[in-house]
Amino acid sequence: MQSTIQPLTMRMGKREVDVFPFWIALLVAGLAFGAVGAYQVFAYGLQVTGLSNQIPWGLWITIDLSAIALGGSAFVFGVIVFLLRNKRFEIVGKLAVLLGFLGYSAAGMILLFDLGQPLRFWHPIVFWQPHSLLWEITMCVVLYLTVLMAELLPIVLEHSLFTTHPLLDRFPILRKTSSSLNWLAHRLHGFAPALAVIGLTLSLLHQASLGATYSVLSGRGLWFNQSAPVQFVLSAMGGGIALLFFLSVVVFRMMRPGLVKDEALYDVARIAGGIVLLCIYIRVWDWAVTNYYSFDTEVALQTEMLNSITPYSTSFWVGQVLFALIPGIILLMAKRIRNFRILMIAAVLPAFCTVLVRWNYNFSGLIVSITYDPFTPTVVLNSYAPTWQEWAVASLVISYWLIGFSLAARFLPFHSAGHAHKE
């Protein structure tokens, strides 16, 4: 298998220019802009945001939920590689672990800003509230991020910096440290099946609980449905694997051609397509139960008011149905199409659909919500617009995710264990 990393280039006149330095410079600018907004939030609190008691969850929580969802391929491929022992997906599984770590660490980063008291981020770990869904989600995310770190460490330690760098022979302490780290990586790799089981359990728990959380909040007219936990799990699996396929083509076909066979990539696309179609099937039935078969007048009023100020129904039928149905069919037929450009375009849409599902769930029941009065419930229309500080923090977190992925795609070897051993 070829392991030489080919940089992504762009033609400028008669020259082929490596775009990596310019890309990193752009992302560093995003970090700098985000740092200004972060200072504003830490210095003056949430009053610099557009959040309120009526709209306590806004842009940041949408990014948080989306980052977690788009990292959903990590637990799926942990099961495929280490429990089902399908080793031809081992290298793709390493990229899935990277995406999972970046997604969950980005979610943790943005929560530091969304918490009114960021220095109290450790409180849920110490002060247990076992009757709270959010506490259960927090504990699962913290534990799963720890699992992802344990799975990612052996991948990072495969780099030549920790194995064959000349400085290791010049300084004995570096060689000894490297040997200790590689021993740790080998041990962690031996625990990979157990880590896959733990990761699967934690992921299913908190992904389902995220869906269940929206069923107990004040906007329960639009949110409440028994299939929400299942939808959150399946949309994370479908959108996460679709994103994994897209980035796998970039990393393993453009930058490292030959490291992963095309047939394996086609199968990744087919897995994503099948899960996306299953998710949209449940989603449409849920819409029918909530809107067509429901006799709740508040639900109809909520939907009507939402449609008067937002393209709520249009975003559902176009963004959540059409953008999932057609790409799902295309991805499922990957071995017949055998055109990576078409498949990559198709894979972007389910990932976008996953973000849109989180966006609609997060805002629909808050913008138009039902009051808590059990005798005379009324529908209240609220408003929310993110401030520049919120967009700046969003830029910070998204730039972090892209820098982490870009550096890994450029420098990590992503060899299989056997290939690394031969070298």
Side-chain angles (χ1 to χ4, degrees):
M1 291 184 295
Q2 183 175 337
S3 59
T4 304
I5 300 175
Q6 299 184 4
L8 299 177
T9 60
M10 180 177 61
R11 181 174 293 278
M12 297 183 66
K14 297 182 179 180
R15 297 178 56 192
E16 290 286 340
V17 179
D18 185 0
V19 301
F20 185 76
F22 302 98
W23 172 245
I24 294 298
L26 177 63
L27 295 179
V28 169
L31 290 177
F33 173 58
V36 177
Y39 170 77
Q40 290 272 321
V41 175
F42 285 146
Y44 304 108
L46 295 181
Q47 65 180 357
V48 301
T49 71
L51 301 172
S52 64
N53 290 334
Q54 290 72 36
I55 310 289
W57 292 350
L59 174 67
W60 293 342
I61 292 299
T62 303
I63 295 176
D64 168 78
L65 296 176
S66 301
I68 288 176
L70 294 178
S73 60
F75 73 88
V76 177
F77 277 83
V79 171
I80 292 175
V81 174
F82 295 109
L83 298 186
L84 302 182
R85 298 186 180 278
N86 198 328
K87 294 300 182 180
R88 67 196 185 99
F89 291 119
E90 182 177 2
I91 298 177
V92 176
K94 292 183 177 184
L95 182 59
V97 169
L98 172 68
L99 297 183
F101 173 79
L102 290 175
Y104 280 78
S105 57
M109 180 187 300
I110 207 162
L111 282 176
L112 287 178
F113 298 95
D114 191 73
L115 294 173
Q117 297 284 348
L119 296 181
R120 298 181 182 178
F121 71 93
W122 52 272
H123 275 209
I125 302 174
V126 177
F127 304 109
W128 288 20
Q129 300 180 41
H131 298 291
S132 168
L133 276 172
L134 287 179
W135 176 82
E136 182 263 336
I137 293 169
T138 301
M139 293 300 294
C140 285
V141 169
V142 169
L143 293 173
Y144 186 46
L145 183 57
T146 305
V147 170
L148 289 169
M149 291 174 64
E151 293 178 329
L152 184 64
L153 183 60
I155 301 173
V156 175
L157 293 179
E158 288 178 354
H159 194 275
S160 60
L161 179 66
F162 303 100
T163 55
T164 61
H165 198 278
L167 287 177
L168 298 178
D169 296 323
R170 290 183 58 186
F171 299 97
I173 188 172
L174 293 180
R175 173 59 67 183
K176 187 175 181 180
T177 303
S178 174
S179 299
S180 300
L181 290 174
N182 280 281
W183 175 86
L184 176 61
H186 179 73
R187 290 295 182 184
L188 290 174
H189 187 75
F191 287 114
L195 292 175
V197 172
I198 296 171
L200 173 65
T201 304
L202 294 171
S203 295
L204 292 179
L205 280 173
H206 78 260
Q207 294 285 4
S209 296
L210 282 170
T213 298
Y214 288 94
S215 299
V216 299
L217 297 178
S218 62
R220 56 191 176 275
L222 282 174
W223 282 338
F224 180 75
N225 60 80
Q226 295 178 341
S227 67
V230 178
Q231 289 182 48
F232 266 62
V233 172
L234 291 179
S235 62
M237 293 170 63
I241 298 174
L243 178 65
L244 173 66
F245 168 76
F246 179 91
L247 296 178
S248 293
V249 175
V250 174
V251 175
F252 302 129
R253 215 170 179 274
M254 298 180 183
M255 301 181 68
R256 296 172 175 81
L259 191 58
V260 176
K261 294 182 179 180
D262 288 352
E263 295 301 316
L265 295 177
Y266 290 141
D267 284 336
V268 174
R270 294 176 65 199
I271 294 171
I275 296 175
V276 167
L277 292 178
L278 176 59
C279 181
I280 200 59
Y281 173 79
I282 297 175
R283 189 81 179 98
V284 171
W285 271 111
D286 167 67
W287 171 87
V289 170
T290 304
N291 295 273
Y292 188 76
Y293 297 109
S294 174
F295 296 98
D296 192 338
T297 57
E298 280 75 24
V299 173
L301 184 57
Q302 279 185 287
T303 305
E304 181 182 348
M305 294 180 69
L306 271 175
N307 287 329
S308 67
I309 60 172
T310 66
Y312 177 71
S313 295
T314 302
S315 70
F316 173 79
W317 290 109
V318 176
Q320 298 182 44
V321 176
L322 191 63
F323 282 2
L325 180 62
I326 296 177
I329 295 173
I330 294 174
L331 293 174
L332 196 60
M333 299 173 60
K335 286 193 173 182
R336 292 188 179 183
I337 296 175
R338 305 184 75 85
N339 186 314
F340 280 104
R341 290 185 179 180
I342 294 176
L343 294 174
M344 288 177 74
I345 294 173
V348 170
L349 295 178
F352 171 76
C353 176
T354 299
V355 175
L356 187 59
V357 169
R358 268 59 180 178
W359 182 277
N360 276 346
Y361 259 91
N362 192 42
F363 286 122
S364 61
L366 291 175
I367 298 297
V368 181
S369 60
I370 303 175
T371 62
Y372 281 107
D373 189 341
F375 300 104
T376 57
T378 57
V379 178
V380 180
L381 181 64
N382 302 302
S383 62
Y384 165 73
T387 62
W388 73 266
Q389 289 91 343
E390 291 178 77
W391 287 112
V393 170
S395 168
L396 173 70
V397 175
I398 294 172
S399 297
Y400 153 77
W401 193 101
L402 291 173
I403 285 179
F405 171 78
S406 301
L407 293 176
R410 178 77 174 222
F411 298 111
L412 287 186
F414 287 107
H415 296 149
S416 65
H419 183 62
H421 181 70
K422 287 180 183 178
E423 289 189 339

